[in-house]
Amino acid sequence: MLQLFKSSYEALRELPLSVPEKGAWLNLINPKIEELNAAAVITGAPLDFLRAALDEEERSRTEIEENCLLVITNIPVMRGVDSYDTLPLSIILTPDYIVTVCLENNRVLSDFCPTNAKYFSTFKRTRFLFQLLYKSATYYLTYLKQINKRTDEIERQLRKSMQNRELFQLMELQKGYTFFSASLRSNGIVLEKLLRLRLNNQLQHLIKVYEEDEDLLEDVIIENKQAIEMVEMYNHILNGMMDTFASVISNNLNMVMKFLASMTIILSIPTMVASFFGMNVPLPFGLEQSFGFGYILVLSVTGASVAAFALWRKDMF
């Protein structure tokens, strides 16, 4: 899908592809090769830049070629209740256009819609770039808070009943932390490089950076660092919690095994007594046959009671 937008008087209007205008924003979502070629013709961006984000494993990076700046950042996505992942988003700046390419629709790009048109301008390409990066960083923080809240809910469930389902949910959340941690660190490298390029005036020929744009870039860097710290803290807490519950489950299993072993010992005494006197062994003290069953029953119960008391004193159950 290829769409062309342009800001106009705090509004965002969609333009026909046949009549592109300078200062427009080209948004490509899982584009076909024809759409990539059309975007390359309109903007003059290299086809390799446009294809970069179509690889799900693409890492965050920046690249400058001729009059184009490529910024690839990994944005957070939510796949399900307990499933979180990251997705590469490429942002390409040319002298007249800004281009975004992504494999699927996402909340970061969806926020830049006609409803919020007064908060951004497509012809202010530098600020628009930093706003996209800032929005991505804020969604990282939002999702991290959601994961932490979900972790607390699963913890409360685990305290009541130890089931594999809750442990699998925690493992899924831990995978999200791993994806977020790797992506945030690579995003941080990209942001630091953008800051260095700005300080060295290496992008002056391509984009203009005003004072408020520099402040916005610094805010993005701060938000990204905060997200990294939150990932490390929450991941450490989750690892500790999973280790604790693993120990609790192991301890519960040991208690069950101790109880079963104790019951086996107790029940083996009546079995042994009944087996002994069931082999044509004469009863002691000259007891008659009519009293034999009662004698064996009393002896079995007494022996089992003594064994149970001894095991109870040993804290076996």
Side-chain angles (χ1 to χ4, degrees), residues 134-145:
Y134 184 82
K135 183 60 67 174
S136 174
T138 56
Y139 271 117
Y140 272 112
L141 295 173
T142 300
Y143 287 149
L144 285 172
K145 293 177 182 178

Side-chain angles (χ1 to χ4, degrees), residues 77-118:
V77 291
M78 186 176 179
R79 304 292 189 189
V81 178
D82 300 320
S83 180
Y84 294 84
D85 200 355
T86 58
L87 197 66
L89 169 67
S90 66
I91 308 170
I92 305 169
L93 270 65
T94 68
D96 298 322
Y97 299 93
I98 182 169
V99 186
T100 56
V101 186
C102 195
L103 279 171
E104 59 185 66
N105 283 312
N106 53 82
R107 296 182 64 180
V108 173
L109 293 176
S110 298
D111 280 354
F112 295 89
C113 58
T115 305
N116 301 324
K118 63 180 180 179

Side-chain angles (χ1 to χ4, degrees), residues 169-215:
Q169 289 174 342
L170 289 179
M171 290 176 59
E172 196 69 25
L173 294 176
Q174 193 172 38
K175 287 171 57 179
Y177 279 139
T178 304
F179 294 145
F180 281 10
S181 178
S183 298
L184 285 168
R185 292 185 182 280
S186 57
N187 288 352
I189 296 174
V190 169
L191 294 173
E192 295 293 341
K193 186 174 182 180
L194 286 175
L195 184 60
R196 289 197 303 270
L197 291 174
R198 170 64 190 100
L199 295 176
N200 296 334
N201 293 324
Q202 297 183 27
L203 302 178
Q204 196 64 32
H205 68 286
L206 183 60
I207 58 177
K208 294 181 180 180
V209 181
Y210 299 98
E211 183 177 354
E212 53 269 27
D213 298 333
E214 293 181 354
D215 295 338

Side-chain angles (χ1 to χ4, degrees), residues 4-6 13-22 24 42 97:
L4 188 64
F5 300 98
K6 185 177 181 181
R13 56 190 178 92
E14 186 171 358
L15 303 176
L17 299 179
S18 57
V19 189
E21 298 181 11
K22 292 183 178 181
I42 294 174
Y97 299 93

Side-chain angles (χ1 to χ4, degrees), residues 218-250:
E218 292 177 358
D219 290 340
V220 176
I221 294 175
I222 293 173
E223 292 290 314
N224 191 80
K225 289 181 178 179
Q226 181 181 355
I228 292 175
E229 293 175 356
M230 289 179 62
V231 166
E232 293 177 350
M233 179 180 64
Y234 290 159
N235 194 31
H236 181 71
I237 294 174
L238 180 58
N239 287 334
M241 185 173 65
M242 291 189 67
D243 292 341
T244 301
F245 279 115
S247 300
V248 171
I249 292 174
S250 178

